């Protein structure tokens, strides 16, 4: 059996008394797209940060094509190799770009770090084209761009090193709905074109339905449900998944019933 | 292209006076003082050290626009030439304290942990020691001259700059763009030097302008006490000291003029510095 693209086994992380991530296990196949859903505080962002290496796990491991990346990287070569394994697009495009650095400079920095000695200009044009930004945007500073444009820059930056896995941490949450749709389409196109695997961290079930093949539902650091996205959303097994789905505002939506369901769920957890 | 405008409503009133008359006047005065200091040898009407005893304590006249001091030296010329030492000293203090304090603060804030504790506590030790006292100690050990008080004041100002730089770095390092660069594979040192330092620099530099005013007044105070600048060197603080006996004999001009210039310069530097600090703090990010 071939190695899965991304394999996460038994990941644990505690902050003080809080078990932010508790025995999380999942795999992402080549070119796959996996959604991690959950409300704020469910541990999905901590999971993402451990996967990309911004945080460390107390236990468990993260492997990309069988190579472990749980320990601290030793030396520059290993650091760069890891950066080429997994890249990340952050939630807030207003904060994830250095306000002083132009679009072109952001991409050039990364390309010069990973491909020293080659002229970055053609690749920069290619990347801007790939994310639907004209070369005119190249000289712009982040503050001169809209949220959607900034997120395109962030995606271009992440794609610059041709990563195997792209982690998208609430990557469309800060954008308004029409721009969300554009970015989601763009991400789908990029996956078709490059075969990159997506790990999609989101609280938005609509987003999950659009762009993921599989989904895991996290609650209080644990995975409560997992499976094909279509199956989970059509027939949720766990009460929490149903609650998340019911929480999406729509006609006939009853916030009081959701509050009651949430309390009932909380009471169920209280150890006897 | 869509522009995003982020305004902080709390600063609206300050923003209305963005280019207010006070700032323009202060900036103009700072420019004037700097220009005078640079061009001093060419624009001073008399040799600042020429003594005309017969003319001592003369009132302003066509030949001596601001009068003559008790030793018969032209006040305007001493003022103009004195601008050099009076500005050079604070400049040295600001440059040294900013470079050293900034480096300490950035390293402490960026690395954190035991290094932060070590550096922060060590620099704070000097806070327990008043800057002027330190300067007096240095001059009494190393003798007259501008260098000893400048070094002493630099050390005294260093912790303030270090604290500011440290707190700015602590805020900056939590910004997602720093995490983004780490994920890209950039080393910590790279991210710090190429992105964090340039981003905090405007705030630190604006604070430096304010520090310049304080350093100027500290050094003038030292000169007034007769420490630091050698006796014959024209210097504003020294001029106040030299003129204080003339005040007692009813001729206050040679002491009051340098006093005024010191105060105006300090206020001007503070206004300009505060203005820049406000501006970079309210900058659109």
């Amino acid at each position: 059996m071939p190695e899965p693209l991304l394999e996460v086994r038994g990941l644990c992380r505690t902050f003080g008394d809080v078990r932010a991530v508790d025995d999380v296990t999942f795999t992402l196949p080549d070119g796959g797209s996996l959604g991690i859903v959950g409300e704020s505080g469910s541990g999905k962002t901590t999971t993402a940060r451990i996967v990309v290496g911004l945080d460390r796990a107390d236990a468990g491991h993260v492997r990309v094509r069988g190579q472990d990346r749980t320990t601290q990287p030793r030396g520059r070569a290993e650091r760069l190799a890891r950066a080429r394994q997994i890249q990340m697009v952050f939630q807030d495009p207003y904060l994830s770009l250095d306000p002083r650095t132009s679009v072109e400079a952001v991409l050039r920095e990364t390309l010069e770090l990973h491909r020293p000695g080659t002229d970055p200009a053609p690749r920069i044009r290619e990347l801007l084209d790939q994310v639907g930004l004209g070369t005119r945007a190249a000289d712009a500073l982040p503050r001169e761009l809209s949220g959607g444009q900034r997120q395109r820059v962030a995606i271009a930056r992440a794609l610059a090193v041709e990563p195997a896995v792209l982690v998208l941490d609430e990557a469309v949450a800060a954008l308004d709905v029409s721009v969300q749709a554009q970015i989601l389409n763009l991400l789908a196109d990029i996956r078709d074109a490059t075969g990159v695997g997506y790990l999609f961290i989101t609280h938005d079930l609509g987003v999950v339905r659009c762009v993921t093949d599989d989904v895991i539902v996290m609650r209080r650091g644990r995975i409560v449900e997992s499976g094909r996205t279509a199956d989970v959303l059509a027939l949720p097994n766990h009460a929490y998944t149903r609650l998340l789905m019911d929480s999406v505002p729509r006609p006939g939506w009853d916030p009081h019933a959701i509050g009651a369901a949430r309390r009932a769920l909380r009471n169920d957890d209280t150890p006897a | 292209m869509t522009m995003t405008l982020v305004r902080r409503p709390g600063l609206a009133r300050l923003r209305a006076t963005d280019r207010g008359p006070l700032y323009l006047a202060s900036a103009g005065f700072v420019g004037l003082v700097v220009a005078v200091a640079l061009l001093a040898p060419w624009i001073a009407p008399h040799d600042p050290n020429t003594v005309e005893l017969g003319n001592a304590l003369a009132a302003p006249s066509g030949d001596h626009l601001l009068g003559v001091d008790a030793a018969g030296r032209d006040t305007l010329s001493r003022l103009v030439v004195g601008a050099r030492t009076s500005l050079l000293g604070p400049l040295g203090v600001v440059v040294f304290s900013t470079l050293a304090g900034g480096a300490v603060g950035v390293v402490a804030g960026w690395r954190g942990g035991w290094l932060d504790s070590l550096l922060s506590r060590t620099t704070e030790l000097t806070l327990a020691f008043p800057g002027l006292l330190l300067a007096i100690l240095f001059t009494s050990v190393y003798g007259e001259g501008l260098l000893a008080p400048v070094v002493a004041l630099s050390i005294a100002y260093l912790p303030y700059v270090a604290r500011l730089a440290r707190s700015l770095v602590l805020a900056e390092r939590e910004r997602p763009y720093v995490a983004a660069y780490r994920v890209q594979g950039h080393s910590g040192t790279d991210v710090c030097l190429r992105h964090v330092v340039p981003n905090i620099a405007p705030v630190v530099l604006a604070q430096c302008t304010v520090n310049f005013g304080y350093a100027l007044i500290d050094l003038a105070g030292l000169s007034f006490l007769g420490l630091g600048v050698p006796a014959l060197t024209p210097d504003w603080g020294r001029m106040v000291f030299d003129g204080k006996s003339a005040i007692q004999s009813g001729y206050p001009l040679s002491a009051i003029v340098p006093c005024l210039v010191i105060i105006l310069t300090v206020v001007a530097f503070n206004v300009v510095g505060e203005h820049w600090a406000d501006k970079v703090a309210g900058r659109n990010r």
Side-chain angles (χ1 to χ4, degrees), chain A:
Chain A
M1 189 184 150
E3 299 274 10
L5 179 58
L6 171 68
E7 184 191 22
V8 172
R9 286 256 160 274
L11 220 53
C12 291
R13 180 76 170 106
T14 53
F15 296 108
D17 293 337
V18 183
R19 311 192 75 165
V21 176
D22 190 359
D23 195 20
V24 166
T25 296
F26 58 83
T27 55
L28 175 69
D30 258 307
S33 177
L34 174 74
I36 302 183
V37 262
E39 58 192 359
S40 307
S42 59
K44 56 191 195 307
T45 292
T46 307
T47 308
R49 289 178 65 87
I50 294 171
V51 168
V52 295
L54 284 172
D55 206 338
R56 56 176 182 78
D58 296 330
H61 60 246
V62 178
R63 292 198 178 115
V64 173
R65 296 219 168 91
Q67 280 178 300
D68 190 85
R69 51 179 286 139
T70 322
T71 52
Q72 282 281 319
R74 273 187 301 276
R76 181 185 155 87
E78 196 178 341
R79 204 176 63 228
L80 294 184
R82 289 211 188 157
R84 286 192 287 266
Q85 288 174 343
I86 301 185
Q87 275 301 313
M88 183 165 180
V89 176
F90 290 80
Q91 171 169 9
D92 192 338
Y94 293 91
L95 299 175
S96 67
L97 299 169
D98 180 352
R100 289 178 52 264
T101 310
S102 74
V103 171
E104 195 243 344
V106 169
L107 299 177
R108 185 155 33 83
E109 264 177 318
T110 300
L111 290 169
E112 279 173 353
L113 180 70
H114 286 272
R115 301 170 168 187
T118 50
D119 178 20
R123 177 76 177 137
I124 290 174
R125 276 198 298 279
E126 187 188 341
L127 283 165
L128 288 176
D129 192 45
Q130 195 172 13
V131 297
L133 282 173
T135 36
R136 263 192 307 160
D139 296 327
L141 287 174
R143 67 163 172 271
E144 295 162 340
L145 301 173
S146 68
Q149 285 172 319
R150 292 185 199 204
Q151 201 58 304
R152 287 172 196 263
V153 176
I155 293 168
R157 171 176 64 180
L159 290 175
V161 298
E162 297 173 70
V165 179
L166 191 55
V167 176
L168 298 124
D169 181 14
E170 301 276 14
V172 295
L175 306 173
D176 58 50
V177 183
S178 62
V179 180
Q180 275 192 8
Q182 290 170 20
I183 298 288
L184 291 175
N185 281 336
L186 172 70
L187 289 170
D189 292 345
I190 287 170
R191 181 152 76 108
D192 288 343
T194 60
V196 63
Y198 284 162
L199 187 61
F200 226 101
I201 317 291
T202 183
H203 66 277
D204 188 332
L205 294 166
V207 169
V208 169
R209 198 189 302 272
C210 277
V211 289
T212 64
D213 306 331
D214 300 279
V215 66
I216 58 179
V217 181
M218 281 184 73
R219 177 166 186 260
R220 296 186 177 180
R222 300 190 73 94
I223 295 179
V224 293
E225 185 158 6
S226 62
R228 304 292 298 171
T229 305
D231 300 343
V232 171
L233 293 183
L235 275 175
N237 276 323
H238 194 276
Y240 179 68
T241 316
R242 286 197 291 277
L243 179 69
L244 276 184
M245 293 181 67
D246 290 341
S247 302
V248 180
R250 62 172 175 278
W253 177 60
D254 182 1
H256 296 295
I258 295 159
R262 180 173 295 268
R263 279 189 294 278
L265 193 62
R266 195 179 307 139
N267 293 339
D268 287 350
D269 298 329
T270 318

Side-chain angles (χ1 to χ4, degrees), chain B residues 213-229:
Chain B
Y214 291 131
L216 196 154
I217 220 160
D218 278 354
L219 284 170
L222 280 174
S223 301
F224 177 77
L225 294 175
L227 297 163
V229 188

Side-chain angles (χ1 to χ4, degrees), chain B residues 131-158:
Chain B
L132 276 180
L133 210 60
L134 198 68
I136 292 170
L137 183 74
F138 266 56
T139 25
S140 56
V141 173
Y142 294 102
E144 270 190 342
L146 203 53
L147 192 64
V150 164
V151 169
L153 283 183
S154 302
I155 292 170
Y157 279 49
L158 187 149

